[in-house]
Amino acid sequence: MLEKTYDPSSFEHKLYEFWMERGYFTPKAEVGKPYFSIVSPPPNITGQLHIGHGLDNAIMDTIVRFKRMQGFNTLWLPGTDHASIATEVKIVEQLKKEGIDKHDLGREGFLQRAWQWKEKYGGRIVEQLKKLASSCDWSRLAFTMDDKCSEAVRKQFVSMYKKGLIYRGNRIINWCPVCRTALSDAEVEYAEQDGCFWHYGYTTPDGKTTVTFATTRPETMLGDTAVAVNPNDSRYTHLVGKTVIVPFVNREIPVIADEYVDMEFGTGVVKITPAHDPNDFEVGVRHNLPVIRVMNDDGTMNENAGEFAGLDRYEARKRIVARLKEMGILQKVEPHKHNVGSCYRCHTTVEPIVSRQWFVKMQPLAEPAIQAVRNGEITFHPERFAKTYFNWMENIKDWCISRQLWWGHRIPVWYCDDCCAEICEEHDPDVCPKCGGSHLHQDEDVLDTWFSSALWPFSTLGYYRDSDDFKAFFPTSVLSCGYDIIFFWVARMIFSSLYATGQVPFRHVLMHGIVRDEQGRKMSKSLGNGVDPVEFIDKYGADTLRFALINGVANGSDIRFAPDKIDGTRNFMNKVWNCGRFVLMNAEGKQLVPLSECKLSLADKWILTKLNSVIGEVTELLEKYELGMAAQTLSDFVWSEFCDWYIEFTKPVLYGTDEIARRDALSVLCYVLDNILKLLHPFAPCLTEEIYQAMPSHGESIMVERFPEQHDELRFDDDASLVEELKELVTKVRNVRSTYNVAPSKRIRLYVVPYDERIRSCGVYLAKLCNLEETVFAPAPSDEKTVKAVGVAAACEVPLGDLVDFAKEAERVAKELENVESEIARAEAKLSNQGFLSKAPAQLVDNERAKLAKFRELQAQLQARLDELK
RNA sequence: GGAGGCAUAGCUCAGUCGGUUAGAGCGCUCGCUUCACAUGCGAGAGGUCGUAGGUUCGAGUCCUACUGUCUCUACCA
């Protein structure tokens, strides 16, 4: 028997242990069997569980449990990510607190610390994920730096290198002076900042002409190697080919003409710093300009900066401006808002710097990746995210994959100190294959963490090891993640998988939004507005967390995680618990029979019909990955139909004396509850299992039961429609009671004049739900003062004696009449429209006619009543 | 600069293929310690679906423009 109060903490953990012991999460790799597979986005080992993981896992677990119950061989593979830069930043911080610089430890020592970190925090996040009741297969737990994944990284790199898709080159990259590493374009965040425009100019050697320009980064002038104008700009044509002098470094640089310069903008002159600006770099390549770096890796000025060498970049900027002013060169300073890029890990302003790095050539990889989505091999949910994807893929630039870090997959390239050969093989070389020399050293850099994440769907399944897992579960069925990592991850998995395996990594991409606070703000540490899922689960339970994140939420839209929504969800869980208690308390010790042996009552037929259609709707919605609507459909059914009406319908029988009727009612109650629990299990796994285990005839576990299917033999449309009429009537009678303040406890007499004769069979329900002491199927005697409640099935009269206020009643009836008349007008207009009659589906026209007839009948009733009252 | 989202009840949001009287939760009003649940029950009030056009027999839903708002993306020195 269930406890009186719903206390999730008393059973959630126990049930999770039970499922794990039984091995329900661990499928066998059976090649050729219908399967369903998800490979989890691996959380960073830096972190702890946050609400976004909660959402991600709630979605995946719901789908996975549904598919498992449908009989698919279902795998959900979890893992963690080494998160190269993020983790290294954290460890460096930790070391700093101990007063240690990472270089003091050396590479080996540092990596040792990193692996310790991984053991500690990687384990912690796994334990936290388990609290969500996620049914993932922990026996297959993967890590982006485990042997399998490292092997995949190595093979992919070598293969791409040999095909010329990975190359090393001097390019402008985004440099973080604090992390002291290159970053990919995707790792830079832009934000508008207040800055300045400094206007000044360079003068020709003869001192006669000055070309004026504006810049936001004056310190880069020390690396200027040209001044550019537009070739069509008549103001400057006479200067092209002349030279000007850069102050401080006294470099003589040419004035060049290049289409890149916008004549309309500013003075139409641009100073060109090929080493520190992506566009300038391109100009430099076209004009063969020298590339002069003026900054060190830590953001200080280098030896090329002359008198400013050694200064921090911002200090240098200040000094340069001051000096320019002093020298009378500075003409104007304007405030200027511009977008400044910063490191996505440490938020330092990044510096575009020319640097020798490793890149992936994207053009040839992007092409098939675009095709796979265009031709429907991969579907985005919602579809609009495909547009975002195309937008990025079609304008993609080469991907900078080398990072000047230690924690990560080291670039598998060796250089021969003797002959300068570059060696990239699957196995570490001992000697140089070119010169036979043994003086080799490995590239110092590691790979972008997303390089290994990109291989995740197939590396974890053991693609490179010819594994059964890969054969049984690939391509994976669904990828679920937030829309914020489409570029970082989704896109890169698609082209990486197509390249390596020739197959898409997944069939469906299910995108969800960001969880925000009550006011719609992002949850963040600095705002302190985050909800800690672990604390939340301790208080409300995993089921409530999951359901609150899923119920009623449309795919791809952000979620406001507000307290009243949480309360509502908790209340629903409590409701389910209590309706379970109600059924089980009544069923305890009673003999139940299969539905086929029951004499079904009207109410039974109605709820079974409703159940049947809910099964259809929920299944269809889940198959379309519309989890939010599926959950809502289900909770509406449970609360508004099963609890509010059906349970009330059964009470007269359960508390009655007819043993057979009681047995049958209980059998139906249990049947419907059993189905509800199964339908609800993917969303609220613990609650449903706990109730299920208390059911009279339960199996081993609800999670290995079959998901309910529709049964047309349990559909009784006519009876169901009668019950809908009954419900309407009950509501109207209650309305009268409420309007006239008839105490709910007072039992009254009701006169009923049926329009639908079948309503005569509903006396017992009417009596219970309207609290009647007597139901008379006849009009009220003329001397009795009554108030009428008119429905489709009948006109009821509630005797109220002196309570009847004729003016009030007339008002009430008039209002109802008004509604009905506006409906009649609407229906008449529709039916007199020739276009509607000839073009609309016949069914629709018939419906409209039937409606009109009903409304006219109602109108007559109400009119008569109104006349009577006047 | 480019792309996309959103605009529906006081608030937060659903609304699938264009087709019942546009829904829910919260809030609000009135009533109820009814033997599963006051984390509850019953009855209500509350919407010209951002604006203007268009397509259609029929538009919250499709098209065009506009207004407001948010996000992504690129980047002008």
Side-chain angles (χ1 to χ4, degrees), chain A residues 767-788:
Chain A
K768 164 72 186 165
L769 298 174
C770 301
N771 199 20
L772 307 179
E773 68 175 350
E774 190 185 357
T775 311
V776 182
F777 283 97
S782 54
D783 59 340
E784 190 137 31
K785 288 183 181 168
T786 66
V787 167
K788 257 190 180 173

Side-chain angles (χ1 to χ4, degrees), chain A residues 480-643:
Chain A
S480 166
C481 68
Y483 59 69
D484 50 336
I485 52 173
I486 293 182
F487 307 135
F488 278 119
W489 198 41
V490 181
R492 286 168 179 170
M493 280 193 283
I494 294 174
F495 66 69
S496 300
S497 176
L498 286 167
Y499 174 80
T501 71
Q503 290 177 273
V504 294
F506 31 73
R507 302 278 182 209
H508 298 274
V509 180
L510 184 52
M511 310 252 62
H512 63 248
I514 293 164
V515 185
R516 297 172 179 276
D517 74 358
E518 199 179 356
Q519 295 154 50
R521 300 174 304 180
K522 261 190 183 175
M523 288 186 176
S524 74
K525 265 185 203 150
S526 50
L527 282 171
N529 61 345
V531 173
D532 178 358
V534 175
E535 275 175 36
F536 188 98
I537 290 168
D538 288 343
K539 189 168 171 198
Y540 293 102
D543 288 333
T544 296
L545 176 66
R546 296 167 52 134
F547 208 81
L549 288 169
I550 284 181
N551 187 27
V553 175
N555 285 337
S557 63
D558 290 351
I559 298 164
R560 221 170 272 236
F561 200 67
D564 53 357
K565 191 170 187 175
I566 294 159
D567 287 343
T569 310
R570 189 261 324 259
N571 295 353
F572 175 62
M573 296 296 141
N574 186 60
K575 189 77 184 175
V576 173
W577 180 262
N578 277 294
C579 79
R581 272 182 69 219
F582 173 82
V583 174
L584 294 171
M585 276 166 60
N586 283 288
E588 195 172 28
K590 300 284 193 318
Q591 192 62 43
L592 299 180
V593 291
L595 282 194
S596 54
E597 291 171 30
C598 290
K599 184 172 178 296
L600 298 175
S601 70
L602 182 66
D604 295 339
K605 289 177 179 170
W606 166 75
I607 197 69
L608 289 169
T609 306
K610 282 270 178 188
L611 173 66
N612 199 51
S613 62
V614 165
I615 291 171
E617 285 166 43
V618 169
T619 305
E620 199 184 320
L621 288 166
L622 282 173
E623 272 164 357
K624 289 195 293 191
Y625 306 113
E626 296 276 0
L627 311 196
M629 244 193 282
Q632 196 153 59
T633 304
L634 205 42
S635 61
D636 283 351
F637 172 73
V638 173
W639 202 323
S640 310
E641 308 286 5
F642 183 69
C643 292

Side-chain angles (χ1 to χ4, degrees), chain A residues 85-147:
Chain A
I85 185 167
T87 308
E88 185 150 332
V89 166
K90 291 263 184 185
I91 299 171
V92 167
E93 267 172 27
Q94 195 189 46
L95 288 173
K96 204 173 167 185
K97 279 182 199 152
E98 297 170 29
I100 306 171
D101 184 276
K102 81 170 190 182
H103 297 278
D104 299 341
L105 287 176
R107 190 167 195 138
E108 287 312 310
F110 182 84
L111 288 178
Q112 220 171 349
R113 286 289 293 244
W115 280 103
Q116 281 167 14
W117 176 288
K118 187 257 165 186
E119 285 315 314
K120 185 170 170 194
Y121 293 100
R124 187 179 66 173
I125 194 150
V126 165
E127 284 317 304
Q128 291 179 327
L129 286 169
K130 288 180 179 173
K131 289 196 148 222
L132 291 161
S134 305
S135 62
C136 34
D137 180 5
W138 299 108
S139 77
R140 286 178 167 92
L141 180 69
F143 176 56
T144 48
M145 277 172 72
D146 64 20
D147 290 346

Side-chain angles (χ1 to χ4, degrees), chain A residues 25-39 73-78 137-142 146 148-149 456-477 501 503-505:
Chain A
F25 304 163
T26 304
K28 287 202 181 79
E30 292 179 76
V31 181
K33 201 174 165 188
Y35 71 92
F36 185 88
S37 61
I38 292 186
V39 175
N73 192 36
T74 302
L75 170 68
W76 179 14
L77 192 152
D137 180 5
W138 299 108
S139 77
R140 286 178 167 92
L141 180 69
D146 64 20
K148 223 180 343 190
C149 293
W456 189 244
F458 57 92
S459 62
T460 52
L461 287 172
Y463 167 65
Y464 282 111
R465 294 181 170 187
D466 193 34
S467 72
D468 283 347
D469 270 4
F470 183 82
K471 290 176 200 152
F473 297 113
F474 195 86
T476 65
S477 312
T501 71
Q503 290 177 273
V504 294

Side-chain angles (χ1 to χ4, degrees), chain A residues 755-775:
Chain A
Y755 303 142
D756 182 340
E757 286 301 320
R758 299 178 300 168
I759 204 74
R760 289 179 190 277
S761 64
C762 299
V764 64
Y765 300 125
L766 272 175
K768 164 72 186 165
L769 298 174
C770 301
N771 199 20
L772 307 179
E773 68 175 350
E774 190 185 357
T775 311

